[in-house]
Amino acid sequence: MSSLAFDRPGRFWRGNLHTHSNLSDGCLEPAEVCRRYRAEGYDFIALTDHFIGQYGYPIADTRAFQGEGFTTLLGAELHSGAMENGELWHILAVGLPEDFEPPNAPHFKPIDGQESGAALARRARDAGAFVAIAHPEWSGLTTEDARTIEAAHAVEVYNHGCATGCDRPHGFYTLDQMLSEGRQMTLCATDDAHFTEPDHFGGWVMVKAEENDPDALLRALKEGAYYASTGPEIRAIHWEKNAVVVETSAVASVIVQGRGSAAVGTHGASMTRTSVPLERFAASPWMRVSVIDAAGRRAWANPVYRSA
């Protein structure tokens, strides 16, 4: 098994994949959103305003705000069709072309006859975007809902705005159900920042690429060459026959999860090279690693899969 983010050349670039401006329901202009992320040490950002008629279907052109050491990706949060609970789909699409055709989504409520969420996600992926199921816990997403989005690369497993605004930040149940049904998906952490509350600089991805370039970053995202974090660094993962060795910044726990109830943790103080035994995962077709520091901040590696 291999953890692609740690086995390929390049370096890690820190970025936020889910952000809003006053082109939709955020309170800051795009230039100021980009300035703040750059000032906070981010290497890149995707501005993903709500792609609905109420706001004129915006795809913010943030290329003017790029500069030495900082880049931007074009994107949007897409909406169309109803989930099982009757609410509108929220689908994150990073790397959209400027001329992506809007759905018939005039506002934040589903309407009869509009494109389904699954069809919209497929169009976005076919147009070249990295596609993620946004904030499943906040949305009240069911497993049946998630099954329909066959074009998704990833599940948003941590959303900082949903953590601060309603204490519903997670998507791990959705991800793990999809993995256990045979879907090979990745995970991402985001801000979903609107700057109307403390919803920013709390969740990000660390993308492994040789250059901080939009094409290189987008390619790495689609390939799964990244990890997600709210604080800790994951520096290396070595999958061995009976154990996995994880190199990190100082952490208090390293946990491996697999199908069903399979989970094993190693705990200690200021751990930087940690071994976790894998005997419990003999029947699991997938595994993933979480690390937790002494302050409770977390980082998550993308799943790995056993060869057939």
Side-chain angles (χ1 to χ4, degrees), residues 133-246:
I133 298 172
H135 42 58
E137 186 179 14
W138 179 89
S139 294
L141 195 79
T142 67
T143 301
E144 290 73 20
D145 284 325
R147 289 188 185 113
T148 70
I149 310 298
E150 296 180 354
H153 295 90
V155 174
E156 194 179 61
V157 296
Y158 177 79
N159 180 301
H160 192 59
C162 293
T164 59
C166 62
D167 198 27
R168 290 179 171 176
H170 294 131
F172 292 105
Y173 180 79
T174 297
L175 173 69
D176 289 354
Q177 290 295 106
M178 294 299 97
L179 297 177
S180 294
E181 292 182 3
R183 291 275 296 276
Q184 293 197 2
M185 302 182 74
T186 56
L187 57 83
C188 60
T190 72
D191 273 346
D192 198 356
H194 294 71
F195 288 91
T196 53
E197 55 188 347
D199 56 3
H200 37 281
F201 316 138
W204 55 87
V205 290
M206 299 294 292
V207 179
K208 186 74 165 293
E210 296 198 63
E211 296 180 291
N212 186 20
D213 168 83
D215 290 339
L217 295 170
L218 186 59
R219 184 166 55 251
L221 284 166
K222 293 177 184 178
E223 293 172 352
Y226 68 94
Y227 70 91
S229 184
T230 65
E233 296 178 15
I234 303 177
R235 295 169 178 161
I237 298 180
H238 309 283
W239 294 95
E240 301 174 351
K241 182 177 180 180
N242 297 314
V244 61
V245 177
V246 184

